[in-house]
Amino acid sequence: MHQLFKPSKRLGATLLTLFFGGFVLNFIMQAASLGMDLGSVFAWISNYYWLYISGSLFFFFVLLVFAAIVPNVYSGALLAFLVCCVLAVANYKKLGTTGEPLFPWDLMQVKNAKEMTKITHGMISPTAIVITIVVVAALVYLVFKLPKLKVQLPLRLAMIVVSVLMIAGFIQMVGSQTALATSMNYQNIPWNQKVNYSQNGFVYAFAGNLNQKLMEKPEGYSKEAIEAIAQKYRDMPDQADGKTPAEQPNVMYMMDEAFFDPTRLPTYTFSEDPLKFIHQQEHATPSGFMLSPEFGGNTANIEFEALTGLSMYFLKDGSIPYRQRIVKMSTLPSIVSILKDKGYQTKALHPFDDSFYNRNRVYPILGFDQFTSEKDMENAERFTPNGYISDMAAVKEAVRELQTSDKPTFLHLVTMQNHFPFTKGLNGPNTITVGGVKPEYKDEMETYVHDTKLTDEALAYLSGELKKIKRPTIVVFWGDHLPALSAGIYTQAGWDTNPRLKHETKLIYMANFDIGKQPVGTISPAFIGPTLFQLSGQQLPPYYRLLEKVRSEIPGLNKHVLLGASGVVSQLTPEQQSLLNDYRLVEYDLLEGEQYAKDLLF
């Protein structure tokens, strides 16, 4: 009798420990969502105590199911606890770097763990790593020292079934926004995910995003509505700005990783101009700025806009279309498919892992015939063994592709050289001194400025090579988003309160034929394609006429700032709102609807 009671008593103590562990985990998760401000965590618990209690019970059942599955109860629970802690750290670091929390679709990057290790190198301090290793080692030691607790198979199965049912029920409750969830003050806030996570707690916000659509069905969506929009823009005159070349021109996109003009930052001085070529060229060719929908990351979203002409402005906060939607589709109209229908070869070039952001699966859906990644590149030069493939190497590969093509070619290049981390020496010795910068940021700032100089040199090389290509060729170059530099660098420059500046990157068009030199102002990446068509004298499909009309009224569409023809827009006019309604209906139709526009607008 004593032997039967003792294990039972130990099991009860273990369950109580797991119960307490669930509350600890939920506290850690919420602390990560609130910048590790413990005062804010306690304030949140006092205001949303039912969310905290129910979320903690969710974590209890997560710990319980792992404890039941793994033969050693303590090992299973410890494994689950550590995995959840890793998610908390990832959430905290992502918030600090990009301003966005961790989403379910971010976990798809686990398959790129090796590449992610390289990209995130330097984000976690050596001290934090040492402390983590010590804590994990202590926990593992504790597990081995604790007496082994054997749980009979029927009880294990019961624990697993109950836990899985409770976890699934919780996810269903949150995802369906049930009355029970609402009664606990849960409110799904997909339009502002930072608030969503800080108000609802990590587990509720994360669960609510598991089956999140990119956008909800807009009022008035129907086949008839799309037909009316298509008719409106088919009837609109097509006016090209540029001279039509004698033959179809090559078209090249060059989207440069984390590139912007650092000389725009006030309070800093530079021993030389890092962008000598760009600053000279911008007065001789159409140029301006690209208003990025992102800051510090999510490159695929800028690429999504530039290739499809669809806008992140209409999508729910935190969306990544490549991961959430496009990868599940068979086709999606884009500049790639438009040019392919005109007889173009369509090629993509990215000097990195081809599966990142599902590019290897998304590119064929958008219409690409060929995708060259780092493993396929003939010239994969790096400045150092640990560095990324240089912009110069990527440009040389792109030039080779254009020179050897016997047909008009659309080439889409996405570079990697300037990706975080900005480690001194990664791309060779720094060559520019930056003044006025705080000592703790000096190496980082000078490293980034040096990197932009290397990009400027690569672009100068591309400009020279354009003149040697026989076929008319037009190139559009832009930076995808501002770099994830230390926040203090932007704070010192006074940019924290100016969302426009924190989203503007350099945009420049170049060609080996006359495209004029009219400035293009600041535009969203969704409008790059139509502008390029106009400059090269190509006929605009009705879809691009819609985009051009929107651009004429609201050239900058960003959730943080709207730009009109004469500056920041504080309130939309009825005409602007009508245009956005047309745009929203078409975007929903193509992404979530029946794709009526596919045959009507392209």
Side-chain angles (χ1 to χ4, degrees):
M1 185 71 178
H2 176 70
Q3 291 299 319
L4 290 173
F5 175 73
K6 195 171 181 181
S8 177
K9 185 176 181 181
R10 197 185 304 160
L11 178 59
T14 301
L15 292 176
L16 187 61
T17 301
L18 297 184
F19 182 78
F20 176 73
F23 280 80
V24 172
L25 263 184
N26 202 16
F27 187 93
I28 292 172
M29 288 295 190
Q30 194 59 12
S33 294
L34 295 172
M36 302 308 291
D37 184 341
L38 300 186
S40 296
V41 179
F42 285 114
W44 175 78
I45 292 174
S46 66
N47 289 322
Y48 299 97
Y49 46 87
W50 284 117
L51 292 181
Y52 176 63
I53 292 170
S54 56
S56 300
L57 289 174
F58 171 86
F59 282 115
F60 162 69
F61 285 109
V62 169
L63 296 175
L64 185 61
V65 74
F66 272 78
I69 291 173
V70 178
N72 186 337
V73 170
Y74 302 114
S75 297
L78 175 61
L79 176 63
F81 192 91
L82 292 177
V83 168
C84 290
C85 285
V86 168
L87 293 178
V89 171
N91 184 39
Y92 174 72
K93 297 305 295 186
K94 191 183 177 200
L95 276 166
T97 303
T98 68
E100 289 188 336
L102 188 72
F103 302 113
W105 42 91
D106 290 329
L107 301 186
M108 295 176 67
Q109 291 296 68
V110 170
K111 67 179 184 294
N112 302 111
K114 182 180 178 181
E115 291 76 15
M116 285 298 295
T117 300
K118 181 177 180 179
I119 287 175
T120 58
H121 178 71
M123 290 182 68
I124 302 176
S125 70
T127 303
I129 293 174
V130 171
I131 292 174
T132 301
I133 292 173
V134 171
V135 171
V136 171
L139 289 172
V140 171
Y141 174 77
L142 181 62
V143 166
F144 278 103
K145 294 299 290 184
L146 285 170
K148 299 296 185 291
L149 178 60
K150 294 184 179 180
V151 179
Q152 297 300 317
L153 183 59
L155 182 55
R156 281 185 181 275
L157 292 176
M159 291 165 61
I160 292 171
V161 170
V162 170
S163 298
V164 169
L165 288 175
M166 294 301 292
I167 291 170
F170 179 89
I171 293 172
Q172 177 63 27
M173 174 192 74
V174 176
S176 301
Q177 187 86 38
T178 62
L180 178 57
T182 305
S183 70
M184 290 186 286
N185 287 329
Y186 167 67
Q187 178 189 3
N188 189 20
I189 313 173
W191 55 89
N192 190 330
Q193 291 285 359
K194 192 172 182 180
V195 173
N196 194 22
Y197 278 68
S198 61
Q199 177 175 310
N200 293 311
F202 179 89
V203 64
Y204 269 89
F206 194 86
N209 281 323
L210 284 173
N211 294 311
Q212 195 78 271
K213 289 185 176 181
L214 291 176
M215 59 191 302
E216 297 297 335
K217 184 177 179 179
E219 183 179 351
Y221 173 69
S222 65
K223 182 179 181 180
E224 291 72 24
I226 300 300
E227 287 174 338
I229 292 171
Q231 187 63 49
K232 182 193 306 185
Y233 294 101
R234 278 201 301 264
D235 293 342
M236 186 175 290
D238 175 24
Q239 297 178 344
D241 295 337
K243 298 178 181 178
T244 304
E247 57 182 334
Q248 287 180 305
N250 292 324
V251 175
M252 177 177 165
Y253 273 8
M254 181 174 173
M255 185 172 77
D256 206 88
E257 171 62 37
F259 181 89
F260 88 117
D261 185 349
T263 66
R264 299 185 79 202
L265 290 166
T267 75
Y268 301 115
T269 58
F270 305 86
S271 59
E272 66 173 89
D273 182 1
L275 307 184
K276 292 177 183 176
F277 171 76
I278 289 176
H279 287 156
Q280 176 187 359
Q281 189 73 11
E282 64 186 1
H283 301 295
T285 194
S287 66
F289 296 96
M290 189 276 292
L291 188 69
S292 178
E294 303 289 347
F295 172 83
N298 287 341
T299 294
N301 287 347
I302 300 92
E303 182 178 12
F304 159 76
E305 278 208 21
L307 291 175
T308 66
L310 302 172
S311 177
M312 293 298 299
Y313 178 76
F314 300 116
L315 304 188
K316 293 179 180 178
D317 195 24
S319 296
I320 301 182
Y322 274 18
R323 293 180 186 160
Q324 294 172 260
R325 184 71 184 105
I326 300 179
V327 72
K328 303 173 186 176
M329 303 173 74
S330 56
T331 60
L332 179 65
S334 66
I335 188 173
V336 192
S337 61
I338 292 171
L339 291 174
K340 190 173 182 177
D341 288 343
K342 290 174 174 283
Y344 276 68
Q345 295 182 82
T346 54
K347 301 180 179 182
L349 171 59
H350 179 47
F352 198 57
D353 184 85
D354 61 350
S355 64
F356 224 68
Y357 284 116
N358 291 323
R359 285 189 175 96
N360 58 336
R361 298 168 62 192
V362 167
Y363 280 170
I365 294 168
L366 296 178
F368 282 107
D369 297 317
Q370 175 184 312
F371 179 20
T372 301
S373 64
E374 63 178 345
K375 69 178 185 293
D376 310 308
M377 286 184 63
E378 295 183 6
N379 174 27
E381 294 178 357
R382 310 166 195 262
F383 289 98
T384 63
N386 293 325
Y388 297 104
I389 294 174
S390 70
D391 280 5
M392 183 65 79
V395 164
K396 287 180 178 179
E397 181 76 17
V399 168
R400 189 187 67 79
E401 291 279 7
L402 292 176
Q403 288 175 335
T404 56
S405 292
D406 56 1
K407 295 172 61 179
T409 299
F410 172 68
L411 178 63
H412 173 55
L413 167 61
V414 182
T415 72
M416 278 297 290
Q417 173 194 287
N418 302 329
H419 200 290
F420 185 93
F422 307 111
T423 305
K424 185 177 181 180
L426 194 64
N427 290 319
N430 291 344
T431 54
I432 296 179
T433 302
V434 180
V437 63
K438 294 180 179 178
E440 61 266 33
Y441 304 134
K442 188 171 178 64
D443 282 349
E444 179 185 8
M445 186 67 174
E446 290 182 348
T447 296
Y448 178 75
V449 172
H450 167 73
D451 291 349
T452 64
K453 177 183 176 182
L454 298 176
T455 297
D456 186 71
E457 292 170 353
L459 199 61
Y461 171 83
L462 175 60
S463 177
E465 292 300 304
L466 278 180
K467 299 178 178 65
K468 302 176 186 178
I469 298 175
K470 294 180 180 179
R471 181 178 292 275
T473 302
I474 183 169
V475 176
V476 55
F477 166 92
W478 74 94
D480 60 351
H481 53 71
L482 269 72
L485 296 167
S486 295
I489 292 175
Y490 294 111
T491 300
Q492 183 181 335
W495 280 24
D496 285 348
T497 57
N498 194 324
R500 176 175 180 172
L501 292 175
K502 290 191 77 172
H503 288 84
E504 278 187 331
T505 68
K506 198 63 196 167
L507 171 68
I508 189 166
Y509 295 79
M510 304 187 303
N512 58 6
F513 60 95
D514 184 17
I515 57 172
K517 54 183 179 180
Q518 183 70 25
V520 296
T522 297
I523 64 173
S524 289
F527 306 133
I528 289 175
T531 305
L532 185 146
F533 267 45
Q534 286 196 320
L535 290 174
S536 58
Q538 300 200 56
Q539 183 178 5
L540 300 179
Y543 175 61
Y544 273 11
R545 296 177 200 177
L546 163 62
L547 297 187
E548 266 301 296
K549 185 61 178 175
V550 176
R551 185 181 76 91
S552 68
E553 289 288 331
I554 319 170
L557 274 177
N558 182 288
K559 291 184 179 182
H560 303 282
V561 59
L562 287 176
L563 298 181
S566 57
V568 177
V569 173
S570 56
Q571 187 172 358
L572 295 172
T573 65
E575 181 183 5
Q576 291 171 333
Q577 189 61 64
S578 177
L579 278 172
L580 288 186
N581 288 341
D582 286 348
Y583 195 3
R584 180 184 284 106
L585 285 169
V586 171
E587 180 153 342
Y588 175 82
D589 175 68
L590 291 172
L591 286 176
E592 300 281 8
E594 301 300 323
Q595 290 199 328
Y596 301 122
K598 183 178 175 183
D599 296 323
L600 296 171
L601 282 167
F602 292 88

